[in-house]
């Protein structure tokens, strides 16, 4: 069933069901509860709480080369603090695409040959878990496109946060 709303007349809208006859009038308050945007209805990904206290390691793969930071390596304490600060500052709220198609990944710099892959191993409630973060190209505002794990949602995060995650 499809309800089609027409013009407003006074305090009432004209409405037809499935585009047919008869045409009804309903109170304008009926559509008050229908005023949602895609942002209001979308279920976004959960992002873990990661910081220097629970980050075990981070591996960054870019252009076929991998750099690893390990919290067990005392020589990398500053590096771990920097990348943990970046990972901890990520918020997944600015969406560029809610369900990206494989053929559109290159436009975000998120295809397999272009993206940077970050694998962060962290502990949560005593259990080791892995977050995979894909970092793509910049948008017109200087933010970077990112995806997490096996999600199809493309987000934007600041270049500054990306630089911390990548320890640049």
């Amino acid at each position: 069933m499809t309800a089609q709303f027409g013009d407003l007349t006074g305090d009432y809208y004209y409405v037809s069901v499935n585009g047919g006859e008869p045409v009804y009038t309903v109170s304008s308050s009926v559509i008050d509860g229908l005023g949602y945007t895609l942002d209001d209805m979308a279920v976004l990904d959960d992002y873990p709480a990661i910081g220097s206290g629970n980050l075990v390691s981070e591996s960054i793969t870019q252009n076929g080369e991998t750099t690893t930071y390990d919290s067990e390596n005392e020589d990398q304490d500053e590096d771990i603090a920097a990348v943990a600060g970046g990972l901890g500052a990520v918020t997944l709220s600015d969406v560029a695409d809610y369900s990206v198609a494989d053929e559109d990944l290159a436009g975000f710099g998120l295809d397999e040959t272009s993206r940077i892959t970050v694998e962060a191993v962290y502990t949560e409630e005593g259990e080791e878990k892995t977050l995979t973060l894909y970092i793509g190209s910049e948008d017109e505002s200087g933010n970077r496109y990112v995806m997490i794990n096996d999600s199809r949602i493309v987000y934007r995060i600041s270049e500054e946060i990306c630089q911390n995650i990548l320890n640049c």
Side-chain angles (χ1 to χ4, degrees), residues 47-52 54-55 58 80-91 120 131 133 161 164-165:
Y47 188 83
I50 298 177
S52 57
N54 69 337
L55 181 63
E58 178 186 86
I80 286 290
V83 298
L87 290 166
V90 172
T91 58
L131 168 73
L133 179 71
I161 291 172
N164 286 341
I165 292 170

Side-chain angles (χ1 to χ4, degrees), residues 13-84:
Y13 278 101
Y14 291 113
V15 177
S16 67
V17 178
N18 296 326
E21 296 284 333
V23 174
Y24 304 94
T25 55
V26 295
S27 171
S28 60
S29 64
V30 167
I31 65 168
D32 290 345
L34 302 176
Y36 295 100
T37 66
L38 188 54
D39 286 336
D40 295 332
M41 296 188 299
V43 177
L44 302 180
D45 298 301
D46 290 325
Y47 188 83
I50 298 177
S52 57
N54 69 337
L55 181 63
V56 175
S57 66
E58 178 186 86
S59 297
I60 303 164
T61 303
Q62 181 176 14
N63 300 323
E65 294 185 25
T66 301
T67 303
T68 301
Y69 301 104
D70 190 332
S71 65
E72 297 292 317
N73 184 342
E74 292 178 10
D75 294 336
Q76 294 182 334
D77 284 347
E78 286 183 31
D79 296 324
I80 286 290
V83 298

